Each structure stands twice: as C-alpha cells, then as structure tokens.
C-alpha cells in the first residue's frame, strides 16, 4: 500500500502540479543553504581522516545501509581503522551517543544498531554529523569515516560522495519536495564521485543487488534456508523505505506472502505482529532489531547480503587502493 505522499510523488497527478510553487521555493532554499555551508565548512580536527558520505537525493530508503556495511567491511579487511556515523533517525534520545553492542534502537536508531552488529567498528549518532565524526576520530584515530546518509549535511566535510539510487523507483516524478520525492535536483548526480543503482537498471554503470540470505529465528537463533518456506503462506512484515522489494524477493523464491507494510523506521509493538494464526512471520533484519524482546516463537528475520556487478566491484577496489596511497 502506498502512502499519500508516494501516490503524489510516484505518479502524474494534479496534486503534485498544485504543489510546484512550493517545490520551486524549496529548490531555492536548498541552493542557498548549500552555498552557505560550503563557504563555512571546515575540516579542522578531521584533516587526516578520509570521509566518505553514502547518501541519496530522495526521501525514503534507497538501500544505503547495506552498502555502507559492505564498504566499511572492505576497508577493515584492507587494514584501515574505520568508523561509521549516522543521524540515528527516529531515536528517542538527543545529542551525541556512541553506539555500543547493547544499545537499543530507541536510543540510537535501528540502522545504527544494525551497522554496529554487522561491521563491529566504532559507530556514533548525532544530528550534527560533524560532531560525531570529530568524536570518533579523536577517540579511535580512524583512517576512514563513513557517513550513512548526510549528503545534504554540508557542515560535514567530505572527501568522497556516493549517491545510491533506487534502481526500481528512481526519482518518481523528478520534482523536489513537496511536489516530488527529491531533496536535491537530479543534476546533483553530476557533482558526486560515484552514483550506484540499488538493483538492475541499464541507466547506471555501477550496480548492486540486495539478496536475501536465509532466515534466523529470534527465539532460538535457529537458521533455515528460505527454500524451507517455499510453497508456504507466511506473514511478511516490513517497515523499510521500499517494502515491496522485500515482498517481491520472497515471492520470487515461491513463498506465498501475506504482506504487512509499515512506515519506514516503524516502532513495532507486539500487537503489530499478532495475526491470530500460527503462520511464520518473516521480517527484515532492520525491523527485527525493534522486536527482540517480543516473546513470539514464530518470528524469523531475513539478513541481506549484497552482490556487486563487475564494474562496481572494480570501482570499490580502486577506492581502497587510492586510500592506501
């Protein structure tokens, strides 16, 4: 089910046209803000650390976090000290917080917890990402800091900018907020170091695919192949930027999906997962982080792994080699 905003942003309709004057005003504000921040930006305290921003120009998830985790792991394997910073979207705390292995999603945000678990490197969240970067570098003497989102946070200096594009939805009606889903004009793609499509799209040279990698019980940590669920009816639950992609991947395996869509970063309650039957519940890894305390035996989460096309794999190796120089 599409939200009201998605219905406006991802189709041709009169509501979007009526909002165009506000969209033009937003474009002007974006331009002025970018100019001001670039004039005031300083790398003091971050002179000797390589800062990479992985972001997007649309509202909603484009699949950045799996690529951030992959990139951080590659730098670690290459002998670099790596840290990750994030805003900690929808957390219920304020200020700068370092993410620990026992941090909760309420405290630091679901994506920050997930990155800490996957990469096992220093992670910090703060609305002011520059503050988070300075904190991590001062405490861990990092070689590389990767910012999960923050492309429009110009207070944070950057050495390398990466934009992730949802290869399926791309930019909707190509209009800026509130008439469309864009936070910056599409022309912004011409001013970054690397543009990557999440999903196959012939318009982009560099592509990766997020694939489902088995299922794990939150009650027992038992692992199963997703083929085990082939032909079965399951409740598929997703509170991510593009839930349809998750549901489609399950259906492609041959699983009969009863889809339950929630808003991105939804704060799950136990009642959200009571369906008055004994069918298995399959959830994304990001969502299940907020359900670990639920005493439900039939919840399985589905980790993601990403595969890169040859061009992107070569490009990542190039970035790693350049950092070593």
């Amino acid at each position: 089910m599409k939200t009201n905003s998605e219905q406006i942003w991802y189709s041709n309709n009169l509501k979007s046209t009526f909002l165009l004057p506000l969209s033009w005003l937003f474009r002007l504000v974006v331009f002025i803000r970018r100019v001001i921040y670039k004039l005031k930006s300083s790398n003091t305290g971050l002179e000797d650390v390589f800062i990479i921003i992985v972001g997007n120009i649309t509202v909603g998830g484009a699949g950045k976090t799996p690529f951030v985790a992959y990139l951080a792991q590659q730098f670690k394997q290459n002998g670099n000290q790596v840290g990750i910073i994030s805003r900690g979207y929808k957390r219920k705390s304020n200020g700068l917080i370092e993410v620990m292995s026992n941090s909760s999603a309420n405290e630091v945000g679901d994506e920050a917890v997930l990155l800490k678990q996957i990469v096992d490197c220093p992670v910090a969240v703060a609305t002011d990402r520059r503050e988070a970067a300075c904190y991590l570098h001062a405490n861990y003497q990092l070689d590389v800091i990767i910012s999960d989102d923050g492309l429009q946070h110009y207070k944070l200096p950057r050495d390398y900018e990466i934009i992730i594009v949802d290869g399926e939805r791309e930019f909707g009606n190509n209009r800026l907020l509130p008439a469309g889903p864009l936070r910056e004009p599409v022309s912004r793609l011409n001013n970054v170091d690397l543009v990557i499509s999440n999903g196959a799209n012939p318009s982009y040279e560099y592509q990766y695919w997020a694939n489902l990698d088995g299922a794990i019980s939150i009650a027992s940590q038992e692992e199963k192949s997703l083929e085990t669920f082939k032909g079965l009816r399951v409740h598929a639950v997703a509170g991510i930027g593009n839930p349809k992609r998750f549901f489609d991947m399950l259906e492609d395996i041959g699983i009969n999906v009863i889809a339950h869509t929630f808003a991105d970063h939804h704060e799950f309650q136990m009642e959200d997962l009571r369906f008055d039957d004994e069918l298995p519940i399959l959830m994304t890894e990001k969502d299940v982080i907020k359900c670990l305390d639920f005493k439900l035996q039939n919840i399985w989460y589905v980790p993601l792994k990403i595969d890169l096309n040859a061009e992107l794999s070569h490009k990542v190796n190039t970035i790693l080699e350049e950092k070593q120089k």
Side-chain angles (χ1 to χ4, degrees), residues 138-159:
N139 285 275
Y140 293 98
Q141 292 300 301
L142 302 175
D143 302 306
V144 179
I145 292 176
I146 303 175
S147 178
D148 183 11
D149 210 356
L151 189 70
Q152 292 79 31
H153 191 78
Y154 291 107
K155 187 177 180 181
L156 175 67
R158 67 279 313 265
D159 299 289

Side-chain angles (χ1 to χ4, degrees), residues 143-206:
D143 302 306
V144 179
I145 292 176
I146 303 175
S147 178
D148 183 11
D149 210 356
L151 189 70
Q152 292 79 31
H153 191 78
Y154 291 107
K155 187 177 180 181
L156 175 67
R158 67 279 313 265
D159 299 289
Y160 205 92
E161 290 183 324
I162 298 173
I163 284 181
I164 306 294
V165 175
D166 185 324
E168 179 182 342
R169 301 192 301 175
E170 291 195 277
F171 313 110
N173 59 17
N174 281 18
R175 293 173 174 175
L176 269 71
L177 291 165
L182 293 175
R183 297 189 280 184
E184 292 187 271
V186 175
S187 59
R188 180 73 168 90
L189 273 64
N190 300 323
N191 306 118
V192 300
D193 300 282
L194 180 59
V195 178
I196 303 172
S197 171
N198 175 11
N201 187 317
S203 299
Y204 302 92
E205 179 181 4
Y206 303 107

Side-chain angles (χ1 to χ4, degrees), residues 63-76:
K64 299 181 299 295
T65 302
F67 186 76
V68 168
Y70 170 83
L71 192 59
Q73 288 171 323
Q74 296 306 302
F75 273 109
K76 280 188 67 176

Side-chain angles (χ1 to χ4, degrees), residues 13-31:
N13 57 84
L14 285 176
K15 288 183 179 179
S16 175
T17 302
F18 288 143
L19 290 169
L20 270 177
L22 291 176
S23 182
W24 298 331
L25 178 61
F26 181 79
R27 185 184 188 121
L28 177 62
V29 171
V30 166
F31 173 77

Side-chain angles (χ1 to χ4, degrees), residues 26 41 45 48 52 65 122 187 205 218 227 230 246 249 293:
F26 181 79
S41 179
D48 57 344
I52 301 174
T65 302
S187 59
E205 179 181 4
I218 68 168
E227 293 292 324
K230 187 173 182 178
F246 177 60
M249 287 193 290
D293 293 333

Side-chain angles (χ1 to χ4, degrees), residues 7 200 208 221 298 309:
Q7 290 172 358
Y208 72 84
Q221 293 301 298
N298 58 337
N309 69 352

Side-chain angles (χ1 to χ4, degrees), residues 267-275 293-296:
E267 184 179 342
F268 285 94
Q269 306 298 321
M270 192 178 295
E271 292 305 312
D272 294 330
L273 305 178
R274 291 194 186 278
F275 300 119
D293 293 333
F294 297 173
K295 305 304 181 184
L296 298 176

